[in-house]
Amino acid sequence: MQVFKNLRIIGIDHGYGNIKTANTVTPTGVSVFETEPTFEGNTIFYDGRYYRFGEGHKPFISDKTEDEDFYAATLLGIAKELSREKIYETDVHIAAGLPLTWVKNQRESFREYLMKNSDVTFRYKKNLYKIHIMGCSIYPQGYAAVIGKLGEMNGVNMLADIGNGTVNIMYINNRKPVESKCWTEKLGVNQCIISVQNAVLDTFGARIDETIIENIIRFGKANIGKKYLDCITEQVRIYAEKVLDVLEKYEYNSELMRLYITGGGVSIMKNFAELDFENVVLVDDICAAAKGYETICLQSLRRGK
């Protein structure tokens, strides 16, 4: 969270896998209850309903304004940031993002969605929050994650933001993004997880929990039988190869450019991809985009924009 005068800037990275703020990460899967759930967890009470986050992921949708889930997740992110400083009423400027190629067409509708209530009251962990939404800025999500590294991006650079739902690719040449060279592919980490689950089911007739797959993606191992581990590892390697194929489709060449990888798929590429890591930068801070949104927004507000 950044502060500009009396305004608190809160960056929210609306991922399909996790909702990230500058300091918090919460799985995006949400359950909605009319009555208070037995287990509170990451639960907010808003507009007469309880929204509990933290179990699983949100299915991919091409328009994040289709339902209330991302709005409720935004309120949760705001509350989690404010709760760190025991602030329960304040003016807020939301700094958020969209996949690179979606920004132009969806920026205004997403901004309106996040600002639909100028004043909103809700509860989180028994505390009442009264938030005054004073503004909202929308930025390209991959670019925001590397904003702190622009100073080193001389020459030709490719950015690959591997999220749970999409892979976003952008060229950044001599520290400037190239708008004509931005692409979005529906090849997010969730596609990898689905492939793994299908392979295990087809091979062994067993269903495997996402938690096991995520541990293997992160650490390259899990406390399971070797035959299952080998099967899962093979599928993750195949996914990593598919991501590399996509990068090469957009003319990635390790000898001609530096590759920056960010997003939830960093661990996959680090542990399973065949890359020349001497010319690859892994941005493994999962909160990097949310922090970047705040940085860009603060700079804009200081310039009076």
Side-chain angles (χ1 to χ4, degrees), residues 244-257:
L244 288 178
D245 288 343
V246 167
L247 300 186
E248 290 173 1
K249 181 174 77 170
Y250 297 113
E251 302 183 347
Y252 170 62
N253 186 325
S254 63
E255 296 182 344
L256 296 176
M257 62 191 68

PDB file of all heavy atoms in Angstrom, residues 244-257:
ATOM      1  N   LEU A 244       7.419 -22.640 -24.309  1.00  0.00           N
ATOM      2  CA  LEU A 244       8.575 -22.255 -25.129  1.00  0.00           C
ATOM      3  C   LEU A 244       8.203 -22.204 -26.609  1.00  0.00           C
ATOM      4  O   LEU A 244       8.677 -21.322 -27.342  1.00  0.00           O
ATOM      5  CB  LEU A 244       9.724 -23.240 -24.907  1.00  0.00           C
ATOM      6  CG  LEU A 244      10.433 -23.148 -23.557  1.00  0.00           C
ATOM      7  CD1 LEU A 244      11.512 -24.218 -23.455  1.00  0.00           C
ATOM      8  CD2 LEU A 244      11.051 -21.765 -23.359  1.00  0.00           C
ATOM      9  N   ASP A 245       7.365 -23.127 -27.057  1.00  0.00           N
ATOM     10  CA  ASP A 245       6.909 -23.106 -28.451  1.00  0.00           C
ATOM     11  C   ASP A 245       6.162 -21.806 -28.757  1.00  0.00           C
ATOM     12  O   ASP A 245       6.311 -21.227 -29.841  1.00  0.00           O
ATOM     13  CB  ASP A 245       5.998 -24.302 -28.740  1.00  0.00           C
ATOM     14  CG  ASP A 245       6.757 -25.620 -28.802  1.00  0.00           C
ATOM     15  OD1 ASP A 245       7.992 -25.590 -28.942  1.00  0.00           O
ATOM     16  OD2 ASP A 245       6.102 -26.674 -28.683  1.00  0.00           O
ATOM     17  N   VAL A 246       5.343 -21.352 -27.804  1.00  0.00           N
ATOM     18  CA  VAL A 246       4.613 -20.094 -27.990  1.00  0.00           C
ATOM     19  C   VAL A 246       5.587 -18.917 -28.072  1.00  0.00           C
ATOM     20  O   VAL A 246       5.447 -18.036 -28.932  1.00  0.00           O
ATOM     21  CB  VAL A 246       3.599 -19.879 -26.846  1.00  0.00           C
ATOM     22  CG1 VAL A 246       3.073 -18.446 -26.849  1.00  0.00           C
ATOM     23  CG2 VAL A 246       2.443 -20.850 -26.978  1.00  0.00           C
ATOM     24  N   LEU A 247       6.578 -18.904 -27.197  1.00  0.00           N
ATOM     25  CA  LEU A 247       7.555 -17.820 -27.242  1.00  0.00           C
ATOM     26  C   LEU A 247       8.291 -17.805 -28.575  1.00  0.00           C
ATOM     27  O   LEU A 247       8.525 -16.739 -29.166  1.00  0.00           O
ATOM     28  CB  LEU A 247       8.552 -17.966 -26.090  1.00  0.00           C
ATOM     29  CG  LEU A 247       7.988 -17.944 -24.665  1.00  0.00           C
ATOM     30  CD1 LEU A 247       9.122 -17.955 -23.646  1.00  0.00           C
ATOM     31  CD2 LEU A 247       7.084 -16.745 -24.436  1.00  0.00           C
ATOM     32  N   GLU A 248       8.648 -18.977 -29.043  1.00  0.00           N
ATOM     33  CA  GLU A 248       9.354 -19.059 -30.324  1.00  0.00           C
ATOM     34  C   GLU A 248       8.449 -18.651 -31.489  1.00  0.00           C
ATOM     35  O   GLU A 248       8.920 -18.116 -32.496  1.00  0.00           O
ATOM     36  CB  GLU A 248       9.887 -20.474 -30.528  1.00  0.00           C
ATOM     37  CG  GLU A 248      11.042 -20.798 -29.577  1.00  0.00           C
ATOM     38  CD  GLU A 248      11.482 -22.246 -29.650  1.00  0.00           C
ATOM     39  OE1 GLU A 248      10.893 -23.004 -30.467  1.00  0.00           O
ATOM     40  OE2 GLU A 248      12.402 -22.626 -28.892  1.00  0.00           O
ATOM     41  N   LYS A 249       7.143 -18.880 -31.335  1.00  0.00           N
ATOM     42  CA  LYS A 249       6.203 -18.429 -32.374  1.00  0.00           C
ATOM     43  C   LYS A 249       6.271 -16.916 -32.530  1.00  0.00           C
ATOM     44  O   LYS A 249       6.097 -16.389 -33.641  1.00  0.00           O
ATOM     45  CB  LYS A 249       4.777 -18.864 -32.008  1.00  0.00           C
ATOM     46  CG  LYS A 249       3.735 -18.464 -33.040  1.00  0.00           C
ATOM     47  CD  LYS A 249       2.364 -19.029 -32.726  1.00  0.00           C
ATOM     48  CE  LYS A 249       1.663 -18.265 -31.628  1.00  0.00           C
ATOM     49  NZ  LYS A 249       0.236 -18.668 -31.478  1.00  0.00           N
ATOM     50  N   TYR A 250       6.547 -16.233 -31.416  1.00  0.00           N
ATOM     51  CA  TYR A 250       6.680 -14.779 -31.459  1.00  0.00           C
ATOM     52  C   TYR A 250       8.149 -14.340 -31.507  1.00  0.00           C
ATOM     53  O   TYR A 250       8.498 -13.263 -31.073  1.00  0.00           O
ATOM     54  CB  TYR A 250       5.951 -14.163 -30.265  1.00  0.00           C
ATOM     55  CG  TYR A 250       4.461 -14.439 -30.310  1.00  0.00           C
ATOM     56  CD1 TYR A 250       3.847 -15.261 -29.360  1.00  0.00           C
ATOM     57  CD2 TYR A 250       3.668 -13.911 -31.321  1.00  0.00           C
ATOM     58  CE1 TYR A 250       2.489 -15.533 -29.417  1.00  0.00           C
ATOM     59  CE2 TYR A 250       2.308 -14.171 -31.388  1.00  0.00           C
ATOM     60  CZ  TYR A 250       1.729 -14.987 -30.435  1.00  0.00           C
ATOM     61  OH  TYR A 250       0.373 -15.251 -30.502  1.00  0.00           O
ATOM     62  N   GLU A 251       8.975 -15.244 -32.081  1.00  0.00           N
ATOM     63  CA  GLU A 251      10.356 -14.961 -32.467  1.00  0.00           C
ATOM     64  C   GLU A 251      11.308 -14.777 -31.281  1.00  0.00           C
ATOM     65  O   GLU A 251      12.254 -13.991 -31.341  1.00  0.00           O
ATOM     66  CB  GLU A 251      10.418 -13.745 -33.399  1.00  0.00           C
ATOM     67  CG  GLU A 251       9.587 -13.945 -34.667  1.00  0.00           C
ATOM     68  CD  GLU A 251       9.693 -12.780 -35.628  1.00  0.00           C
ATOM     69  OE1 GLU A 251      10.197 -11.714 -35.251  1.00  0.00           O
ATOM     70  OE2 GLU A 251       9.258 -12.955 -36.785  1.00  0.00           O
ATOM     71  N   TYR A 252      11.071 -15.535 -30.222  1.00  0.00           N
ATOM     72  CA  TYR A 252      12.047 -15.533 -29.131  1.00  0.00           C
ATOM     73  C   TYR A 252      13.324 -16.222 -29.585  1.00  0.00           C
ATOM     74  O   TYR A 252      13.304 -17.317 -30.147  1.00  0.00           O
ATOM     75  CB  TYR A 252      11.492 -16.250 -27.895  1.00  0.00           C
ATOM     76  CG  TYR A 252      12.551 -16.490 -26.836  1.00  0.00           C
ATOM     77  CD1 TYR A 252      13.193 -15.413 -26.239  1.00  0.00           C
ATOM     78  CD2 TYR A 252      12.927 -17.784 -26.476  1.00  0.00           C
ATOM     79  CE1 TYR A 252      14.183 -15.617 -25.277  1.00  0.00           C
ATOM     80  CE2 TYR A 252      13.908 -17.994 -25.516  1.00  0.00           C
ATOM     81  CZ  TYR A 252      14.535 -16.909 -24.926  1.00  0.00           C
ATOM     82  OH  TYR A 252      15.523 -17.106 -23.991  1.00  0.00           O
ATOM     83  N   ASN A 253      14.450 -15.551 -29.345  1.00  0.00           N
ATOM     84  CA  ASN A 253      15.764 -16.083 -29.671  1.00  0.00           C
ATOM     85  C   ASN A 253      16.704 -15.717 -28.529  1.00  0.00           C
ATOM     86  O   ASN A 253      16.988 -14.535 -28.309  1.00  0.00           O
ATOM     87  CB  ASN A 253      16.268 -15.495 -31.000  1.00  0.00           C
ATOM     88  CG  ASN A 253      17.574 -16.124 -31.460  1.00  0.00           C
ATOM     89  OD1 ASN A 253      18.442 -16.467 -30.654  1.00  0.00           O
ATOM     90  ND2 ASN A 253      17.736 -16.250 -32.765  1.00  0.00           N
ATOM     91  N   SER A 254      17.173 -16.711 -27.804  1.00  0.00           N
ATOM     92  CA  SER A 254      17.980 -16.452 -26.603  1.00  0.00           C
ATOM     93  C   SER A 254      19.290 -15.745 -26.907  1.00  0.00           C
ATOM     94  O   SER A 254      19.892 -15.142 -26.017  1.00  0.00           O
ATOM     95  CB  SER A 254      18.260 -17.773 -25.874  1.00  0.00           C
ATOM     96  OG  SER A 254      19.022 -18.646 -26.699  1.00  0.00           O
ATOM     97  N   GLU A 255      19.746 -15.804 -28.162  1.00  0.00           N
ATOM     98  CA  GLU A 255      21.003 -15.161 -28.517  1.00  0.00           C
ATOM     99  C   GLU A 255      20.826 -13.709 -28.944  1.00  0.00           C
ATOM    100  O   GLU A 255      21.806 -12.968 -29.072  1.00  0.00           O
ATOM    101  CB  GLU A 255      21.691 -15.940 -29.642  1.00  0.00           C
ATOM    102  CG  GLU A 255      22.104 -17.348 -29.225  1.00  0.00           C
ATOM    103  CD  GLU A 255      22.828 -18.088 -30.330  1.00  0.00           C
ATOM    104  OE1 GLU A 255      22.735 -17.638 -31.497  1.00  0.00           O
ATOM    105  OE2 GLU A 255      23.493 -19.094 -30.029  1.00  0.00           O
ATOM    106  N   LEU A 256      19.564 -13.306 -29.142  1.00  0.00           N
ATOM    107  CA  LEU A 256      19.310 -11.954 -29.627  1.00  0.00           C
ATOM    108  C   LEU A 256      18.567 -11.080 -28.627  1.00  0.00           C
ATOM    109  O   LEU A 256      18.420  -9.881 -28.856  1.00  0.00           O
ATOM    110  CB  LEU A 256      18.502 -12.014 -30.937  1.00  0.00           C
ATOM    111  CG  LEU A 256      19.205 -12.671 -32.130  1.00  0.00           C
ATOM    112  CD1 LEU A 256      18.251 -12.745 -33.315  1.00  0.00           C
ATOM    113  CD2 LEU A 256      20.464 -11.902 -32.495  1.00  0.00           C
ATOM    114  N   MET A 257      18.088 -11.661 -27.537  1.00  0.00           N
ATOM    115  CA  MET A 257      17.289 -10.877 -26.595  1.00  0.00           C
ATOM    116  C   MET A 257      17.349 -11.500 -25.207  1.00  0.00           C
ATOM    117  O   MET A 257      17.711 -12.666 -25.032  1.00  0.00           O
ATOM    118  CB  MET A 257      15.827 -10.806 -27.062  1.00  0.00           C
ATOM    119  CG  MET A 257      15.142 -12.154 -27.132  1.00  0.00           C
ATOM    120  SD  MET A 257      13.529 -12.116 -27.978  1.00  0.00           S
ATOM    121  CE  MET A 257      14.032 -11.752 -29.666  1.00  0.00           C
TER     122      MET A 257
END
